[in-house]
Every structure is written in C-alpha cells, then in structure tokens.
C-alpha cells in the first residue's frame, strides 16, 4: 500500500511523480499487489495533473483535513483487519484495470483534444491551424541564457530517422535553441548528458536493447530526480515491451504508438502543413502519423523554454 500525501511540493518533485506513476501502474493491474491512496492536502494547487485524477482522491483540504485523515486511517486499519465498511469499499474499490500505457495514452489524447476538439478537426486542410504559435525565433521570448544549456538527443542508431527529423523541427521552429543532434564520442556524450538542460530520449524497443542508450536514460533519470528543474524529456517510439518495467513509469510527452495520430490522418483526414511535410526528407520517409507525433513533441519541448509572458 502507498499513501501519497499530495501537496504542491509533491507535484513539483520528479521523484514523487515517478513514485506515484509506478504505484498507479501497480494499482491499475487486474490482480494488483499494491493499493494507491492519494490524499490531497494543498488548497493552493489550482490544477491537479490528469494522472492524479485516474483514481479516487481523498480530499483533506482545509476544514476537511481532520475528518478525511481519520476516516482514511480507519479504513486502512479495517482493510488490514479484513473488515468491510463503507469507507473500505470506497477507498479500496476495484480500479478500471487499465495498464499504465493505456492510462498515459488517454491522458495524452485528452491534452490534444483541448486545443483541437474532435468536432473541429475535419475541416483542417492545413494542420495544425495554429502553426505560427509553434515558433520561437525571437531570442527575447526565450528564458534567460543562464537557464539554457544544451538540449541533447539520445537515440538508438536504428531510430536515427526519428531523431534527425525531430532535430530538423527544432531548428525550424526555434533556431536559437542549442540542440545537439549527435555527440562525436562516448566521452563527449557523457559530458553533454551531465550538463544538458534537457535530455530528449527516443525510447523504443531498439533503445531498450542498447546498453549505451540505457546508460543515457539512467543518467538522465538520475539527474531528473535530483535537480530542481525536470531534465528528461522522453518520447516513445513504437510500443514498448513489458520489461524492464521502469521504462513504463516515466510520463511520455508524446508516443508515436498512440492511436490519435492515425485517427487524425485516416478518419479526420487532416492534411499536414506543407512546410512540415517538406522537412520529411526522402532519407527519413516517416509516416504521416509519426510526423504529427514528433511535431507536437517539438512543440512541447519548445514551450519549456518560452518566457511565461512570451
């Protein structure tokens, strides 16, 4: 059992978020061996992240604190004493039995539906319609230089076409951002990983089979857990094998495996902006769903470097 005491600081902590996602993955299994009980304590939090809304939150904010804590504690004691009460039934109710990958995909689809609702997609013959908002060409709109070091790409050589296309998108939309496409040596890569502001990992079955890539990922994850600002920016390329399981506990900003990208092309019949299509060199030959996925991954990464008023 994991009781998560959710506060503003908890939500800001990469370690706590990772711990929560791991617990959520176990909690959501059909024959779960762990129960997750999130208790919400902080009334200063205006926007609860979507992954925290996948299971029942115990509201212990303000005047509700004493009664919520007491009833939750009583329910936990009753549960271990194998006693059935109203509180135990509510808190220990069966989950939706979604695995963590489906939960993440649902969250990403929801995030995309906010700026591009389903009913408004069909007319799009120049998608995305707000492409101008992707650009960050004015250095005055960037965060201060002392907050930006290199952005490093970590990928398997078998997935190089995804990284190269992503690199092209970054240089097209935000030419001032220092993106390192590829290190000249393993030693240089270690130095870059130790100092990068963001490490973009293209996690795929090929990536997971590579010792060098796993080392990159672990360095990024270690820094992500210990530094003030999030370091790792993971992108999922294709569906991942079940093991190692810790690759499923990080939140992927974008996954090319999500059904939404194919749905946009095949069902909504959106047409990708011609300028973006031209970046898809013959050398890459990425599918249209993959182009869309990486396009929005680039947008999400660029947004990390915008001034809040820019």
């Amino acid at each position: 059992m994991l009781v998560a005491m959710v506060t503003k600081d908890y939500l800001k902590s990469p370690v706590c978020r990772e711990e929560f996602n791991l617990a959520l993955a176990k909690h959501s299994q059909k024959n779960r061996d762990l129960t997750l009980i999130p208790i919400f304590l902080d009334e200063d939090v205006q926007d609860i992240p979507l992954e925290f809304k996948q299971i029942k939150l115990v509201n212990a904010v303000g005047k509700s604190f004493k009664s919520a804590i007491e009833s939750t504690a009583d329910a936990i004691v009753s549960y271990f004493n194998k006693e059935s009460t109203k509180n135990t039934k509510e808190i220990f109710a069966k989950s939706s039995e979604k695995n963590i990958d489906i939960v993440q995909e649902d969250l990403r689809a929801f995030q995309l539906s906010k700026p591009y609702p389903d009913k408004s997609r069909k007319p799009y013959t120049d998608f995305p319609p707000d492409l101008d908002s992707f650009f960050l060409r004015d250095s005055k709109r960037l965060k201060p230089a002392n907050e930006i070091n290199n952005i490093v790409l970590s990928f398997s050589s078998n997935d190089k076409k995804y990284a190269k296309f992503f690199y092209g998108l970054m240089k097209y939309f935000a030419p001032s951002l220092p993106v390192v496409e590829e290190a000249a040596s393993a030693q240089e890569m270690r130095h870059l990983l130790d100092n990068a502001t963001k490490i973009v990992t293209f996690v795929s079955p090929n990536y997971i089979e590579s010792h060098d890539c796993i080392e990159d990922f672990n360095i990024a994850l270690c820094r992500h857990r210990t530094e003030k600002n999030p370091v790792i920016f993971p992108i999922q390329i294709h569906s991942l094998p079940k093991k190692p399981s810790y690759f499923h506990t990080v939140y992927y900003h974008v996954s090319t495996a999500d059904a939404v990208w194919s749905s946009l092309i095949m069902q909504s019949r959106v047409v990708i902006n011609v300028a973006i299509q031209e970046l898809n060199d013959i050398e890459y030959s990425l599918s249209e769903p993959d182009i869309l996925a990486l396009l929005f991954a680039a947008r999400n990464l660029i947004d990390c470097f915008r001034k809040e008023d820019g």
Side-chain angles (χ1 to χ4, degrees), residues 6-7 10-12 17 20-21 40 45-54 57 107 111:
V6 182
T7 63
Y10 187 99
L11 296 175
K12 288 180 179 178
R17 294 286 288 268
F20 186 92
N21 283 334
F40 191 58
V45 177
Q46 301 297 322
D47 189 18
I48 302 173
L50 286 172
E51 63 263 37
F52 286 80
K53 298 178 181 178
Q54 298 304 303
L57 278 172
L107 295 177
Q111 294 283 11

Side-chain angles (χ1 to χ4, degrees), residues 3-7 37-42 57-60 68-69 72:
V3 180
M5 311 300 283
V6 182
T7 63
I37 303 175
I39 301 178
F40 191 58
L41 298 170
D42 203 332
L57 278 172
V58 176
N59 182 9
I69 295 298
T72 303

Side-chain angles (χ1 to χ4, degrees), residues 38-93:
I39 301 178
F40 191 58
L41 298 170
D42 203 332
E43 56 189 3
D44 290 337
V45 177
Q46 301 297 322
D47 189 18
I48 302 173
L50 286 172
E51 63 263 37
F52 286 80
K53 298 178 181 178
Q54 298 304 303
I55 60 174
K56 180 180 174 61
L57 278 172
V58 176
N59 182 9
V61 174
K63 295 180 180 179
S64 302
F65 176 81
K66 188 173 185 294
S67 60
I69 295 298
E70 288 177 349
S71 62
T72 303
D74 288 343
I76 292 172
V77 172
S78 297
Y79 176 79
F80 283 112
N81 287 334
K82 301 188 183 304
E83 298 172 356
S84 179
T85 66
K86 180 181 178 181
N87 283 340
T88 57
K89 289 178 181 178
E90 287 183 0
I91 292 176
F92 296 95

Side-chain angles (χ1 to χ4, degrees), residues 50-187:
L50 286 172
E51 63 263 37
F52 286 80
K53 298 178 181 178
Q54 298 304 303
I55 60 174
K56 180 180 174 61
L57 278 172
V58 176
N59 182 9
V61 174
K63 295 180 180 179
S64 302
F65 176 81
K66 188 173 185 294
S67 60
I69 295 298
E70 288 177 349
S71 62
T72 303
D74 288 343
I76 292 172
V77 172
S78 297
Y79 176 79
F80 283 112
N81 287 334
K82 301 188 183 304
E83 298 172 356
S84 179
T85 66
K86 180 181 178 181
N87 283 340
T88 57
K89 289 178 181 178
E90 287 183 0
I91 292 176
F92 296 95
K94 289 289 185 181
S95 68
S96 61
E97 296 182 357
K98 289 183 178 180
N99 67 46
I100 192 63
D101 296 327
I102 295 175
V103 170
Q104 284 204 21
E105 181 171 357
D106 288 347
L107 295 177
R108 289 189 292 263
F110 178 79
Q111 294 283 11
L112 188 68
S113 71
K114 290 192 290 185
Y116 312 106
D118 288 341
K119 64 181 180 181
S120 65
R121 287 177 184 166
K122 287 192 176 180
Y124 292 150
T125 56
D126 193 20
F127 190 84
D130 57 344
L131 192 67
D132 286 347
S133 68
F134 286 47
F135 286 95
L136 184 55
R137 287 176 170 164
D138 185 353
S139 59
K140 293 179 180 179
R141 297 173 63 194
L142 279 172
K143 288 184 176 179
N146 62 352
E147 294 182 22
I148 304 175
N149 205 333
N150 288 322
I151 300 167
V152 178
L153 309 187
S154 168
F155 55 92
S156 162
S157 58
N158 293 323
D159 299 319
K160 190 171 184 176
K161 65 179 183 179
Y162 299 98
K164 287 181 71 68
F165 180 68
F166 183 83
Y167 175 82
L169 288 171
M170 292 297 295
K171 301 313 292 181
Y172 178 68
F173 287 118
S176 298
L177 287 177
V179 184
V180 179
E181 180 185 359
E182 208 165 356
S185 65
Q187 183 177 0

